[in-house]
Amino acid sequence: MPIRSFSEKTLTGEVLRRVRRAPDPRLRQVMASFVRHLHGFVREVRPSQEEWMRGIRFLTETGQWCDDRRQEFILLSDTLGASMLVDFINYGGGGTATESTVLGPFYVEGAPELPMGASIVKPGTPGAPCEVSGTIRDARGRFVAGALIDVWQAQGDGLYDVQKPDGANARACFRTGADGRYRFRCVKPVSYPVPHDGPVGRMLHATGRHPMRPGHLHFRIAAPGCETLVTHLFVKGDRYLDSDAVFGVKRSLIVEFRRNRAGGYAARYDFVLKLAKRRTPRQKR
């Protein structure tokens, strides 16, 4: 059997021909698109061998910076806008439903469930005291009972608990009652830099970008009969709202944190959840 030779023009076609052997149709579709775009990128940029190896080393180092406390690849996805693009495609517009945004690299499963109204921060946590409250309804306007609200935030020094040696802090879960209301205490969110001491930080610096995020609270809300919502509440007036390093700000999620009589802050936001999509019999299999 003769050995075929390939050229710059014919190589992509041969790779695609081999990818078409994949038995899984979705994998076949994804890999074919990936190959076409990857080869198209190489043809457009025409990298030198040295530049190609620098790119490989960058991706290798990005993986090496990942551990159980830090996810550098999620950070890379966030700062390149890919995470928000995936979010737009999957969650999209919700009509009256609360808009979504990125999960971020600091979500930790298994946060403690606390009684409604409790504080998510330990005594002595840096930051101005704050209370956040509101309601959770579904798209039909009904209060949602039994919604699990997972909330987490950076502390007043701009660091998350996983960036410190002091253990879990500034994160907790709450469950709504029949009235669909929620309330908890925290510290007022502050703007802070995403981790920029690794490969993603060097990428930001090399492209003339800052690493800052506007002050925000993270929410993940799951409830029976509703789609899970991942979103933020952003502090109105923050200087980085228009240049968020991860492109996550949406106007509807900007909230005023008002001074209260006790000298702290208070914010209110009423969440609206999308109704869960009904699955067809084929989708249920």
Side-chain angles (χ1 to χ4, degrees), residues 58-245:
F58 171 77
L59 293 176
T60 300
E61 188 178 2
T62 299
Q64 291 170 340
W65 276 70
C66 297
D67 56 29
D68 59 348
R69 297 174 68 87
R70 177 164 175 167
Q71 233 302 345
E72 194 78 359
F73 262 115
I74 291 180
L75 186 61
L76 178 62
S77 173
D78 289 352
T79 54
L80 291 179
S83 298
M84 277 306 301
L85 185 56
V86 171
D87 179 73
F88 279 124
I89 290 170
N90 284 273
Y91 199 81
T96 59
T98 300
E99 292 188 282
S100 60
T101 188
V102 293
L103 180 69
F106 296 117
Y107 172 68
V108 177
E109 291 186 14
E113 186 170 335
L114 301 180
M116 197 63 72
S119 176
I120 70 170
V121 296
K122 296 176 180 177
T125 299
C130 182
E131 182 175 274
V132 180
S133 62
T135 60
I136 298 180
R137 299 175 185 255
D138 66 20
R140 293 177 181 169
R142 301 170 298 190
F143 289 110
V144 178
L148 185 65
I149 307 168
D150 208 330
V151 59
W152 66 103
Q153 69 169 138
Q155 299 167 39
D157 56 5
L159 296 174
Y160 286 83
D161 55 359
V162 295
Q163 297 174 288
K164 296 182 169 188
D166 307 325
N169 191 13
R171 66 177 73 240
C173 294
F174 301 91
R175 198 176 297 271
T176 57
D179 61 0
R181 297 184 182 278
Y182 74 90
R183 180 173 60 88
F184 63 87
R185 289 173 288 134
C186 57
V187 292
K188 183 189 177 187
V190 297
S191 52
Y192 65 87
V194 299
H196 57 287
D197 55 339
V200 172
R202 292 198 297 275
M203 180 273 293
L204 291 173
H205 179 74
T207 53
R209 294 173 55 192
H210 69 67
M212 299 300 294
R213 295 216 66 198
H216 59 274
L217 287 166
H218 292 265
F219 289 84
R220 183 181 186 276
I221 305 174
C226 297
E227 289 191 30
T228 297
L229 171 67
V230 174
T231 194
H232 297 4
L233 294 184
F234 294 94
V235 178
K236 183 178 180 179
D238 191 289
R239 63 180 293 193
Y240 296 106
L241 286 172
D242 199 40
S243 61
D244 180 12

